[in-house]
Amino acid sequence: DVKVTQSSRYLVKRTGEKVFLECVQDMDHENMFWYRQDPGLGLRLIYFSYDVKMKEKGDIPEGYSVSREKKERFSLILESASTNQTSMYLCASSGQGGQEKLFFGSGTQLSVL
Amino acid sequence: AQSVAQPEDQVNVAEGNPLTVKCTYSVSGNPYLFWYVQYPNRGLQFLLKYITGDNLVKGSYGFEAEFNKSQTSFHLKKPSALVSDSALYFCAVRDILRNAGNMLTFGGGTRLMVKP
């Protein structure tokens, strides 16, 4: 089975801290994504990557950056965490092609105090 | 721009009754449409997709969805609901204007509650 693993299930950070969320997939997928999930707003795309060292902004990239140094790993970075970044963060991966489905990790619930 | 609307925050249905979770979309050109389900404390799981062809698409766990181009809808259905179907359901459309990857635009989600 395809596995997308997010390093932390729950995370509590202080305002202003630098936060790293890690995601690893084991299916040699080209595409990887970071979404945040908020009640009533569904999933909103933060960043995605279609190849190593390649990245593109999604719908809400402000306050975030990403890193993809290896094909299997995609990191989301909050340079200076703020309380409005408290959310559920979901990583996903997929193969190439518009018909491909996304495989999701279990999510990281981040609380910024 | 493309968007997805799920007009109901919650749908309540009795076990054994048919269920429908509604979804409408707006895209340029032809859509790729998806349904995902999220069980408590889990990531999203793929249910089914419409790419082309037959308007009635069958998916996992007995779910199906009907693509209606004239109404720009892609409603999720099941003939007989189970308590275990209680979860959060997301409709999504592929962003065909973007060139890279397989980005999906998601709706706000609908919580399905199936009561015994």
Side-chain angles (χ1 to χ4, degrees):
Chain A
D1 273 356
V2 173
K3 201 158 189 181
V4 178
T5 303
Q6 296 183 230
S7 54
S8 303
R9 183 71 182 92
Y10 299 96
L11 213 52
V12 180
K13 296 293 181 181
R14 298 270 180 204
T15 302
E17 280 192 77
K18 191 169 185 176
V19 182
F20 293 86
L21 302 183
E22 306 287 346
C23 176
V24 177
Q25 51 96 1
D26 65 0
M27 282 303 293
D28 201 36
H29 282 162
E30 289 79 10
N31 300 320
M32 296 190 74
F33 308 84
W34 276 106
Y35 287 90
R36 64 176 281 176
Q37 180 181 4
D38 300 288
L41 297 178
L43 276 69
R44 292 177 292 167
L45 182 65
I46 305 172
Y47 267 97
F48 77 99
S49 169
Y50 53 91
D51 202 351
V52 175
K53 296 189 186 296
M54 305 303 290
K55 61 185 180 184
E56 284 206 25
K57 294 179 179 179
D59 298 316
I60 51 164
E62 296 79 18
Y64 304 94
S65 61
V66 290
S67 172
R68 194 168 181 197
E69 297 296 319
K70 295 184 178 181
K71 191 174 186 180
E72 67 270 19
R73 186 180 297 271
F74 192 36
S75 303
L76 180 69
I77 303 157
L78 286 66
E79 295 290 343
S80 178
S82 62
T83 54
N84 62 13
Q85 293 178 309
T86 291
S87 185
M88 170 68 79
Y89 290 87
L90 292 169
C91 176
S93 72
S94 76
Q96 286 183 326
Q99 305 180 21
E100 295 295 317
K101 63 185 180 184
L102 268 61
F103 293 86
F104 282 86
S106 297
T108 296
Q109 179 62 52
L110 173 67
S111 296
V112 182
L113 307 178
Chain B
Q2 39 290 312
S3 63
V4 176
Q6 293 181 242
E8 301 154 317
D9 290 337
Q10 182 162 317
V11 170
N12 298 309
V13 64
E15 189 174 31
N17 283 0
L19 69 89
T20 298
V21 182
K22 295 180 180 177
C23 171
T24 58
Y25 66 90
S26 174
V27 293
S28 299
N30 295 320
Y32 292 164
L33 293 156
F34 300 78
W35 275 101
Y36 287 81
V37 59
Q38 186 178 35
Y39 298 103
N41 300 314
R42 303 280 295 276
L44 275 70
Q45 298 177 30
F46 170 79
L47 271 183
L48 51 79
K49 66 181 178 182
Y50 171 81
I51 303 300
T52 187
D54 194 346
N55 289 343
L56 186 63
V57 178
K58 294 188 183 297
S60 306
Y61 312 122
F63 283 93
E64 57 190 26
E66 186 169 11
F67 171 66
N68 187 317
K69 189 171 184 178
S70 62
Q71 296 186 6
T72 61
S73 67
F74 189 56
H75 300 332
L76 182 70
K77 300 180 180 183
K78 188 173 182 180
S80 179
L82 300 172
V83 172
S84 57
D85 292 329
S86 298
L88 192 54
Y89 290 82
F90 290 96
C91 183
V93 64
R94 182 182 175 230
D95 184 342
I96 63 172
L97 293 180
R98 289 174 170 168
N99 296 323
N102 179 24
M103 291 174 291
L104 295 182
T105 298
F106 285 84
T110 298
R111 186 165 298 283
L112 174 66
M113 299 288 291
V114 182
K115 298 184 179 178

